[in-house]
Each structure stands twice: as structure tokens, then as C-alpha cells.
């Protein structure tokens, strides 16, 4: 059965964006990540699911979370430090640990068919290196992937490096996203847009908002603004609330919401998709709900209420992605 939904929203005093043509059945949406909670681009899903069974310490969801953190599944990624490819191997590490995953006679760090199974194999290797270290085995393994096995052994666990600690925390959070099914239907997207539209004018509250609606927030934003005395939404609180109205549970932070959504190629965005800002998956700091015509609904920042904005109103637009339904759980 097909469903049609449309919503008209105002942008300023002189413009309106019609979100129409949302005519797709749920069965028309591509199935993604059925064994995964972290959304994986279709072309890499089989690779991740196979490589994620290389050893007992590595799961497909953990591997997907690591690749999201490392490169956002960009096969041509280059880091300022010199790391390369979808799994961000340093050249020296690739030389010693890279494998010919697709059997074509070459070990190519820029080829996901080689790099993804190599990442899993390397994870399994460092898991063995640090198996005698006390503490959480998964955290120690991830820390060894990031900082090296010797650092984990030296410090008796996750080393006191801020980058490594954030790395372990982020991947562990992403890997805990429960398994999902099909991407959102257009009816669900329209429900989410309408829910967000009903909250236009709601105050911004750092850390505010949940599946039930506006709430008091926490302290403090990067500029020192506290959400404790304000009932409202921050950016990801608004998107979490709007999609909860459509029966879809999203994780709490913008970065986690990106990891739990299916990236959309340029030109394929539709109303209801999420708009993310940052320089990498790990640095995503803002999210809005696309409504069409180059506009989104967002909870912008302290002192600015929920509103319509151009998606170009911020200079670091990173990606657009489509939420994937998961079990009813907040992270």
C-alpha cells in the first residue's frame, strides 16, 4: 500500500517550501545494514559483514563503527598525519599488516576490498597483543589500534591520551547501536518534519530535548552556555524528538546519529534526511532536518530558537544521511 504525505512550511516572511511528492512504499526503500546497527554504504556492507567475523574479538558492528570513525567510509581518505584509505592505515603499518583481500595479486591500501579485511585482521592481531592487559578487552583492543599495542601494555589499559580516549569512547558508543532494518519511509519523514515544524520558536537548550519533547539541558556548551535553566532542544535533541514521533529511535548526539544513518549521495537527498556539519565523522557537531528547497529545520545555538535555515548557513556541511530505524533505545 502506498502512502502520500505533504507538508507546507514557511521560511521567513516571503518564502515557503513545499515538501511534497513523498510517495513511496516502505517496501520501495533499499534494505541496509540488517545485521548492523551502524549504517554501512551498500557497496561495503558484504565486506564488513564478512571481515567482521575474522576473530571472536571483532564483530561486524564494531568494524563498521571503526571505519565510520576513521574515514566515514571514504575510500580515498587522507589524514594530515599521512594515514590512508578507508581504514586509515599509516604506510608503515600497511606495509607490515596489509593483505590482498580480493586476491588480485596487489595489496592496495586505497582499495576497500583489501583495506577492510586488513583492518579486521589488524584488530585481531592487536587483540592478541593486549589480551593480558587488565580492564575492558574491547577498549584495550581499540586503544591499541589507535595508539599501538605497546602504549596499552605500558599503561596497563587505555593510555592517558585524549585522542585515544575519545577514539575508544566514540567507537564503543557507535558499536552499541542495535541492529536496524529498512531506511525511513517518506511517510515517516513527513511525520518527523511536521513534528519539528510544530516546535518552531522553541528555545535552544544545550543538552535539552528527548523523545518526549523539550527538556532542561546540561552544562555547558563550548562557549560556556548552560542549558540547565532552559527547557528546549539542542540540535540533536530536536532530531531525536522529531523522529521519535515517526516511531524511529535515534541516538543522542549528532555524531552518533550520523553513524546510525545511511549516507546519501549528492543529488539524492529528499525531505526528512538529516544534514550534518563538521570536518569528519568524529567531529560532527551539528544536525538539522532537511525540508527541501535548500532549507532545513534546526535548533541552531544558544540564544536562537528552533527555526528554518538554509543548509548553506554553516560553512562546514559534511554530509546528508537518511535515518535507519532501530530498536527503541536511546544512547
Amino acid at each position: 500500500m502506498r502512502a502520500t504525505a505533504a507538508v507546507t512550511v514557511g521560511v521567513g516572511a516571503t518564502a515557503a517550501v513545499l515538501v511534497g511528492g513523498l510517495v513511496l512504499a516502505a517496501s520501495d526503500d533499499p534494505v541496509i545494514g540488517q545485521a548492523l546497527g551502524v549504517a554501512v554504504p551498500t557497496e561495503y556492507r558484504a565486506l564488513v559483514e564478512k571481515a567482521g567475523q575474522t576473530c571472536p574479538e571483532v564483530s561486524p558492528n564494531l568494524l563498521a563503527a571503526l571505519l565510520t570513525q576513521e574515514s566515514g567510509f571514504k575510500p580515498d581518505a587522507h589524514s594530515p598525519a599521512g594515514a590512508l584509505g578507508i581504514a586509515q592505515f599509516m604506510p608503515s603499518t600497511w606495509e607490515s599488516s596489509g593483505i590482498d583481500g580480493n586476491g588480485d595479486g596487489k595489496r592496495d591500501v586505497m582499495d576497500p576490498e583489501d583495506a577492510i579485511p586488513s583492518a579486521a585482521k589488524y584488530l585481531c592481531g592487536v587483540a592478541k597483543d593486549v589480551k593480558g592487559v587488565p580492564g575492558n578487552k574491547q577498549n584495550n583492543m581499540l586503544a591499541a589500534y589507535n595508539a599501538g599495542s605497546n602504549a596499552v601494555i605500558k599503561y596497563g589499559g587505555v593510555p592517558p591520551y585524549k585522542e585515544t580516549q575519545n577514539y575508544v569512547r566514540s567507537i564503543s558508543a557507535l558499536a552499541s547501536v542495535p541492529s536496524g532494518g529498512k531506511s525511513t519511509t517518506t511517510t515517516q519523514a513527513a511525520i518527523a518534519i511536521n513534528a519539528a515544524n510544530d516546535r518552531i520558536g522553541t528555545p535552544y537548550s544545550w543538552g535539552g530535548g528527548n523523545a518526549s519533547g523539550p527538556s532542561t539541558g546540561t552544562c555547558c556548551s563550548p562557549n560556556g552556555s548552560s542549558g540547565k535553566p532552559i527547557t528546549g532542544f539542542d540540535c540533536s535533541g530536536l532530531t531525536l524528538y522529531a523522529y521519535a514521533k515517526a516511531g524511529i529511535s535515534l541516538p543522542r548526539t549528532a555524531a552518533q546519529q550520523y553513524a546510525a544513518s545511511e549516507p546519501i549521495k549528492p543529488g539524492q537527498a529528499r525531505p526528512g534526511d538529516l544534514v550534518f556539519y563538521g570536518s569528519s565523522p568524529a567531529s560532527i557537531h551539528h544536525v538539522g532536518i532537511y525540508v527541501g528547497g535548500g532549507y532545513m529545520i534546526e535548533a541552531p545555538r544558544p540564544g536562537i530558537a528552533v527555526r528554518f535555515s538554509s543548509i548553506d548557513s554553516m560553512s562546514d556541511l559534511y554530509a546528508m544521511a537518511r535515518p535507519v530505524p532501530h530498536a527503541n533505545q536511546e544512547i
Side-chain angles (χ1 to χ4, degrees):
M1 180 176 67
R2 293 181 177 270
T4 303
V7 56
T8 303
V9 293
V11 181
T14 60
V17 178
L18 177 64
V19 181
L22 301 180
V23 187
L24 282 174
S27 60
D28 292 334
D29 288 320
V31 177
I32 57 176
Q34 288 192 344
L36 296 162
V38 179
V40 175
T42 302
E43 61 266 37
Y44 304 131
R45 189 171 66 243
L47 283 168
V48 170
E49 290 176 340
K50 180 179 179 180
Q53 302 175 51
T54 301
C55 66
E57 293 81 8
V58 177
S59 69
N61 219 40
L62 180 67
L63 181 59
L66 182 141
L67 295 170
T68 298
Q69 177 80 4
E70 291 288 356
S71 70
F73 285 97
K74 291 181 170 57
D76 57 352
H78 290 69
S79 82
L84 300 171
I86 198 168
Q88 290 292 276
F89 276 98
M90 294 297 291
S92 59
T93 305
W94 178 258
E95 185 62 28
S96 62
S97 303
I99 64 174
D100 178 14
N102 59 9
D104 66 356
K106 298 181 293 183
R107 296 186 305 134
D108 184 357
V109 70
M110 306 305 288
D111 185 347
E113 293 184 356
D114 291 344
I116 290 176
S118 294
K121 179 177 179 291
Y122 187 69
L123 272 173
C124 294
V126 297
K128 291 182 180 179
D129 292 342
V130 300
K131 66 180 180 180
V133 178
N136 184 284
K137 301 299 184 184
Q138 177 177 288
N139 289 351
N140 289 342
M141 176 181 66
L142 293 171
Y145 191 98
N146 178 257
S149 300
N150 289 337
V152 175
I153 294 169
K154 175 182 177 180
Y155 288 101
V158 179
Y161 310 149
K162 184 175 181 181
E163 175 192 335
T164 301
Q165 292 175 345
N166 288 338
Y167 180 88
V168 171
R169 189 179 302 113
S170 296
I171 293 177
S172 296
L174 299 183
S176 69
V177 175
S179 297
K182 296 181 178 181
S183 58
T184 55
T185 66
T186 48
T187 299
Q188 290 170 315
I191 292 170
I193 293 172
N194 279 319
N197 184 47
D198 288 343
R199 295 297 180 173
I200 295 294
T202 301
Y204 183 97
S205 176
W206 175 263
N210 53 46
S212 300
S215 69
T216 54
T218 59
C219 186
C220 286
S221 73
N223 68 3
S225 297
S226 175
K228 287 184 176 181
I230 304 171
T231 299
F233 293 104
D234 65 7
C235 65
S236 55
L238 177 66
T239 52
L240 186 157
Y241 163 76
Y243 266 99
K245 288 294 186 182
I248 295 171
S249 179
L250 293 177
R252 183 58 182 82
T253 70
Q256 291 170 350
Q257 288 177 4
Y258 174 73
S261 301
E262 176 74 0
I264 302 301
K265 294 180 180 180
Q268 293 183 348
R270 72 186 190 198
D273 291 342
L274 299 181
V275 189
F276 294 95
Y277 297 84
S279 59
S280 70
S283 69
I284 287 173
H285 60 86
H286 189 67
V287 60
I289 303 174
Y290 186 57
V291 297
Y295 285 91
M296 64 180 173
I297 301 176
E298 62 165 350
R301 58 185 178 274
I304 307 295
V306 176
R307 68 181 185 182
F308 292 97
S309 301
S310 167
I311 63 172
D312 296 325
S313 59
M314 301 178 70
S315 62
D316 59 346
L317 174 60
Y318 179 73
M320 298 181 74
R322 189 162 299 152
V324 178
H326 297 89
N328 188 20
Q329 172 181 329
E330 291 182 24
I331 296 175

